[in-house]
Amino acid sequence: MNQSYSVEESWARAEDARDPLAWCRDAFELPRAPAGVPLVYLCGNSLGLMPKAAAARVQTELEAWGRLGVEAHFEGPHPWYSYGAPLCEPLGRLAGAGPDEVVAMNSLTVNLHLMLVTFYRPEGTRRKILLEESAFPSDRYALASHLAARGIGPDALLVAKPRPGERLLRSEDVEALLAREGREIALVWLGAVHYYTGQLLELERIAAAARRAGCLVGFDLAHAIGNVPLALHDWGVDFAVWCSYKYLNAGPGAVGGCYVHRRHGRDPALSRFAGWWGNDPATRFAMQSQADFIPVPGVAGWQVSNPPILALAPLAASLELFERAGFAELRRKSERLTGYLEFLLSEPGGDRLGVLTPRRPAERGCQLSVLVRGGGAEALTRRLREHGIVTDYREPDVIRVAPVPLYNTFHEVWRFGRTLVELLAAG
Ligand SMILES: Cc1ncc(COP(=O)(O)O)c(C=O)c1O
């Protein structure tokens, strides 16, 4: 643990004064209590805050619609026909992929369904899907529905579990499982950062093990993109999907995203659920010709419908902030901010509190999952909220706390720590 942290308020204030990313906070709307006081918002793992520029970006497109009508598809400040294209460079930087390998579209589970159509290819005895025991329910429902659609029983879902008495997944156990049963596994599907424990899996290592076993591999990046460094292309990951309302700050139900490795993106023969927006733009409007579907090269060829421009506008505003801040700098601050939270959590409550999330920064993002032993996590979350601190409770015994480097401060983390000490002391 970093010895340079301190429980003194003045230390947290000084750290904020030194923060080269302090300007970012002013670029966000901060939720306030009814009296107007800003809340300490440590809940970006659930819904990221609103970039101030989002409202103007949406307004620009509303005005373009009002002023230009249908012409705004090709005229105006950001022609709608290609609105998503400039988002691919910044999204690619966050995913560690080329601009042709990422696209903003749909929502996470919808994208997972589209990916499973292409990348779940049961053949002979290789029919299973490997997932973690505590996978996010939506993922499990999607995977099970693809098995059912192909007449395969639910026992083809093979789960990777933590060891008895443990709550984190060990890479060596996933590797061993793949070495042992890989010949029966068609697809490996795992959450990159686990929504409950906050564990960041060793994605490169797992992707390599999956490849050695002849399996395709995809990751759920809901809690990873915009939070942890990713190099999907270099790691050889086959595909990934994400939502944009958490660390990408693109608003409730925001347009999600999808990554497909270039080696697949360049293969027009891959089967997929097609729509006109994934078709070659040269023939997209040649509706009379009844021509066959020609996929756009890259992941763009998995698009189905024309995108919701008003919903993409906040994502554009948010990605501009990531570009200005630079992800390496954000990650540096994130590690320090979360390290500070961990330091403060080592003080209060004695045995009452624990941290489920791995200690090593390389194995986590900004979220720490605080385990409340002996019950009372929900009540504690409520009491924190009464003191102006927003975190979230997950059944049965965890409070998720996520200081986000774009908008949270060291002083906010200090306030969380001090409030926790007071609440625990009050019993
Ligand atoms: C890990 C994870 N996977 C999947 C989802 C589902 O996302 P969506 O509603 O965008 O399909 C969520 C939503 O919070 C999530 O946290």
Side-chain angles (χ1 to χ4, degrees), residues 19-83:
D19 177 10
L21 292 176
W23 62 268
C24 297
R25 179 173 168 85
D26 291 335
F28 287 88
E29 296 290 351
L30 304 175
R32 288 169 189 276
V37 186
L39 297 168
V40 174
Y41 190 84
L42 298 171
C43 211
N45 55 296
S46 183
L47 181 73
L49 290 184
M50 174 181 158
K52 286 179 181 161
R57 292 291 300 234
V58 174
Q59 189 57 30
T60 300
E61 301 318 320
L62 285 170
E63 277 164 18
W65 180 21
R67 193 163 44 86
L68 298 166
V70 71
E71 311 289 351
H73 280 102
F74 298 99
E75 290 175 28
H78 312 109
W80 300 338
Y81 191 68
S82 51
Y83 195 90

Side-chain angles (χ1 to χ4, degrees), residues 107-110 136 138-139 193 195 220 222-223 242-243 245-246:
S107 50
L108 188 153
T109 312
V110 172
F136 194 81
S138 196
D139 293 25
V193 172
Y195 76 96
D220 177 334
H223 291 262
W242 60 86
C243 52
Y245 39 79
K246 299 179 186 295

Side-chain angles (χ1 to χ4, degrees), residues 29 41 49 51 85 94 150 183 202 270 297 308 319 337 360 423:
E29 296 290 351
Y41 190 84
L49 290 184
L94 294 177
R150 294 164 213 229
R183 260 171 306 184
E202 292 182 284
L270 282 179
L319 290 174
L337 209 49
R360 284 182 55 228
L423 291 177

